[in-house]
Amino acid sequence: MFKKYRATKENVILLESAMKELGYPIEKISAAKDYKEFKYSNWHIMFHNTVNSKMQELEAAHN
């Protein structure tokens, strides 16, 4: 099931973690250091079903 995430710093860092685990190329921008730039460059990837599912999985494991 697709989940809509708000573009908070925590969720942008979660997106970065999901992208890393799925093998997406990550630019030199770190979500933890410059989350706004990372968000502008990569937030659209959150709408891919595999990335969104991985974000939900990581979120559940974190909680």
Side-chain angles (χ1 to χ4, degrees):
M1 182 176 188
F2 189 85
K3 178 178 178 181
K4 288 187 176 181
Y5 285 94
R6 295 187 65 211
T8 63
K9 185 174 184 175
E10 181 180 309
N11 289 339
V12 172
I13 292 170
L14 182 64
L15 170 63
E16 181 183 38
S17 298
M19 289 173 63
K20 284 180 180 176
E21 288 208 13
L22 292 170
Y24 277 80
I26 303 289
E27 298 175 17
K28 296 184 183 216
I29 305 164
S30 167
K33 290 183 181 176
D34 188 359
Y35 97 95
K36 287 183 181 181
E37 182 64 34
F38 189 89
K39 175 181 75 173
Y40 292 130
S41 299
N42 299 293
W43 191 247
H44 66 280
I45 295 172
M46 187 275 299
F47 293 100
H48 295 233
N49 285 332
T50 54
V51 175
N52 192 275
S53 295
K54 180 56 84 173
M55 287 175 72
Q56 291 179 52
E57 180 183 314
L58 292 171
E59 184 179 41
H62 181 65
N63 293 332

